[in-house]
């Protein structure tokens, strides 16, 4: 029976022979990690067995590289991976740790069942409750919060969630609110942000959610981003870098000259609306920028050469200067999310 796919996506991997960093399509299975040169490849370039392996995160072995984690196999072979941003790294780390733990315990990997572990009443519809919380007028208000010299964008505190559940009459008291909030957290409707809330999730308490003004959380599709707080003495940023980051991740981009496709890390900012792209294998400066004001973004079914692409999920950005950018997402849902985020950015941004 083929092993279950738990998670997949682009990560940057350090080579074992030449020590170069290259983007790879990485697939986490129940018993190991496969990595491919590109998503459409039929056979992996390599496979890392998870049985007996250990995971180190954060990994500080490479000074200028952020969001790196290390997997050490039973043969003492080190494999280094770099994510595009903090939340992506933490999501990979959580699933890999759980996969290793399941192998040790002889169990099948499965997402935690909220109803079994917390005895959630069958009358509670978490999906409907989540939609109510996301309501722009009556839901939980997203804020930019500051803690430990960091700014957490598009998030909210644990006690605000419990306050909302009580005032909205979704629960009878705060203790019942903790049970429901923990259920939302376990099912992925809420995500932890910051050390305090993440520590609680990884702990052994019955309710991993904290009714605490210092515990931060966010909606998974909200555009949450954590950044270092800048001081008044910092150099004033160029206009294109002043906007709040609302989405980031890896996409394939077609070059304008050679028409070849390469993996790039994209960072989307709003107000003003800009889309920067970087070499995911390193480099602090962007390779290029797309000004989104007055642009058009649409799905396309074939590449600009008129040939049917091996992969679907293509979309095109046409700037106000009529420059065409062709990008490719890993899945239909991801393409839709990027198009919606770009549309929202240039509608609200300058």
């Amino acid at each position: 029976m083929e092993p279950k796919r738990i998670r997949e996506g682009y990560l940057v991997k350090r080579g074992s022979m030449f020590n170069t960093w290259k983007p790879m399509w990485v697939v986490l299975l129940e018993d190991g990690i496969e990595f491919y040169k590109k998503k459409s490849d039929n056979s992996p370039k390599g496979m890392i067995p998870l049985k007996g392996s250990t995971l180190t995160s954060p990994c500080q072995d490479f000074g200028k590289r952020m969001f790196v984690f290390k997997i050490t196999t039973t043969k003492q072979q080190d494999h280094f991976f770099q994510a595009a941003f903090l939340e992506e790294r933490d999501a990979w780390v959580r699933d890999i740790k759980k996969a290793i733990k399941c192998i040790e315990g002889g169990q099948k990997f499965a997402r935690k069942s909220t109803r079994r572990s917390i005895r959630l009443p069958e009358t509670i519809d978490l999906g409907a409750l989540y939609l109510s919380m996301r309501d722009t007028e009556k839901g939980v208000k997203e804020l930019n919060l500051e803690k430990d010299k960091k700014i957490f964008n598009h998030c909210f505190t644990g006690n605000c969630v419990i306050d909302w559940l009580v005032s909205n009459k979704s629960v009878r008291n705060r203790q019942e609110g903790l049970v429901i909030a923990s259920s939302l957290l376990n099912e992925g409707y809420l995500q932890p942000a910051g050390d305090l809330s993440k520590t609680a999730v990884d702990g052994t308490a019955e309710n991993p959610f904290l009714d605490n003004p210092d515990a931060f959380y966010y909606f998974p599709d909200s555009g949450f981003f954590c950044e270092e707080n800048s001081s008044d003495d910092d150099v004033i940023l160029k206009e294109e870098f002043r906007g709040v980051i609302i989405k980031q991740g890896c996409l394939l981009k077609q070059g304008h000259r050679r028409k070849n496709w390469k993996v790039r890390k994209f960072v989307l900012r709003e107000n003003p609306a800009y889309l920067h792209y970087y070499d995911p294998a390193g480099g602090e400066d962007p390779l290029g920028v797309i000004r989104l004001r007055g642009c058009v973004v649409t799905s396309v079914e074939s590449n600009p050469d008129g040939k049917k692409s091996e992969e679907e999920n293509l979309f095109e950005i046409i700037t106000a200067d009529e420059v065409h950018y062709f990008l490719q997402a890993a899945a239909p849902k991801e393409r839709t999310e990027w198009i919606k985020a770009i549309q929202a950015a240039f509608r609200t941004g300058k």
Side-chain angles (χ1 to χ4, degrees):
M1 189 173 178
E2 190 173 329
K4 173 185 175 183
R5 290 191 173 207
I6 299 169
R7 177 178 293 275
E8 56 187 330
Y10 281 110
L11 292 172
V12 179
K13 185 181 184 301
R14 183 174 184 259
S16 56
M17 293 183 64
F18 299 106
N19 298 330
T20 55
W21 293 80
K22 293 183 179 181
M24 294 284 177
W25 182 259
V26 182
V27 179
L28 171 61
L29 305 171
E30 291 176 300
D31 58 352
I33 294 176
E34 294 179 343
F35 49 94
Y36 300 75
K37 189 174 181 181
K38 55 184 179 179
K39 185 189 176 187
S40 56
D41 287 352
N42 293 321
S43 57
K45 286 182 65 66
M47 199 272 190
I48 304 169
L50 290 180
K51 185 176 181 180
S53 295
T54 58
L55 189 146
T56 304
S57 177
C59 176
Q60 308 292 351
D61 292 15
F62 308 94
K64 291 187 176 181
R65 288 192 176 272
M66 301 174 66
F67 317 129
V68 174
F69 62 91
K70 176 175 71 173
I71 300 172
T72 304
T73 66
T74 53
K75 296 182 179 180
Q76 298 305 305
Q77 295 175 325
D78 291 334
H79 298 270
F80 299 92
F81 293 92
Q82 181 182 25
F85 52 98
L86 177 64
E87 292 71 41
E88 182 182 49
R89 183 198 67 188
D90 288 350
W92 277 94
V93 166
R94 280 196 295 268
D95 281 347
I96 293 171
K97 282 184 175 179
K98 184 171 182 179
I100 293 173
K101 190 174 180 180
C102 287
I103 293 172
E104 292 174 350
Q107 302 168 327
K108 280 282 190 182
F109 186 101
R111 302 292 181 191
K112 187 182 292 186
S113 174
T114 298
R115 295 191 185 277
R116 286 199 301 269
S117 61
I118 305 182
R119 298 182 298 278
L120 186 68
E122 294 295 332
T123 54
I124 296 293
D125 186 339
L126 293 179
L129 184 59
Y130 168 74
L131 292 176
S132 298
M133 296 176 73
R134 291 304 314 269
D135 187 277
T136 54
E137 294 183 1
K138 299 179 180 180
V140 176
K141 301 301 179 186
E142 296 179 63
L143 304 168
N144 293 341
L145 303 173
E146 184 176 352
K147 184 176 176 60
D148 299 331
K149 296 183 179 181
K150 294 180 180 179
I151 298 176
F152 297 82
N153 300 283
H154 298 284
C155 70
F156 38 84
T157 64
N159 65 322
C160 283
V161 172
I162 305 300
D163 289 343
W164 184 89
L165 289 170
V166 173
S167 63
N168 199 49
K169 297 182 180 180
S170 299
V171 297
R172 291 172 294 181
N173 52 52
R174 300 191 78 83
Q175 185 57 40
E176 193 170 283
L178 268 177
V179 175
I180 299 301
S182 296
S183 306
L184 290 163
L185 189 65
N186 287 333
E187 295 295 332
Y189 290 110
L190 300 177
Q191 294 291 330
D195 293 338
L196 185 62
S197 56
K198 289 179 181 179
T199 300
V201 169
D202 294 334
T204 57
E206 182 181 0
N207 294 322
F209 190 90
L210 298 177
D211 182 3
N212 190 313
D214 292 323
F216 297 167
Y217 301 90
Y218 65 95
F219 296 121
D221 56 350
S222 66
F224 166 81
F225 184 70
C226 176
E227 58 187 332
E228 294 291 336
N229 190 11
S230 59
S231 69
D232 295 335
D233 297 328
D234 285 342
V235 177
I236 297 176
L237 293 175
K238 292 165 60 178
E239 181 200 40
E240 63 191 65
F241 292 104
R242 290 181 190 167
V244 174
I245 295 177
I246 60 172
K247 188 173 178 61
Q248 55 182 321
C250 289
L251 296 167
L252 282 170
K253 176 185 175 295
Q254 187 183 52
H256 282 96
R257 293 183 181 178
R258 298 182 182 178
K259 304 298 182 184
N260 55 338
W261 293 83
K262 290 187 176 181
V263 178
R264 296 292 180 233
K265 174 186 172 181
F266 284 84
V267 177
L268 175 62
R269 289 177 168 87
E270 68 172 356
N271 196 25
Y274 284 91
L275 183 63
H276 292 87
Y277 52 94
Y278 300 75
D279 180 354
E284 298 178 1
D285 296 326
L287 299 175
V289 59
I290 306 172
R291 188 180 184 187
L292 298 177
R293 183 178 181 183
C295 79
V296 174
V297 55
T298 57
S299 300
V300 291
E301 295 306 321
S302 60
N303 65 32
D305 298 325
K307 300 175 183 177
K308 196 70 175 178
S309 174
E310 293 179 4
E311 300 284 339
E312 300 299 327
N313 314 316
L314 296 168
F315 63 100
E316 178 184 15
I317 300 173
I318 306 174
T319 68
D321 299 328
E322 296 189 2
V323 179
H324 295 245
Y325 294 87
F326 291 91
L327 308 174
Q328 187 179 71
K333 181 181 178 183
E334 185 182 27
R335 173 173 69 173
T336 301
E337 289 173 352
W338 271 104
I339 290 175
K340 286 182 177 179
I342 292 170
Q343 288 174 335
F346 71 68
R347 284 171 184 164
T348 59
K350 296 177 182 178

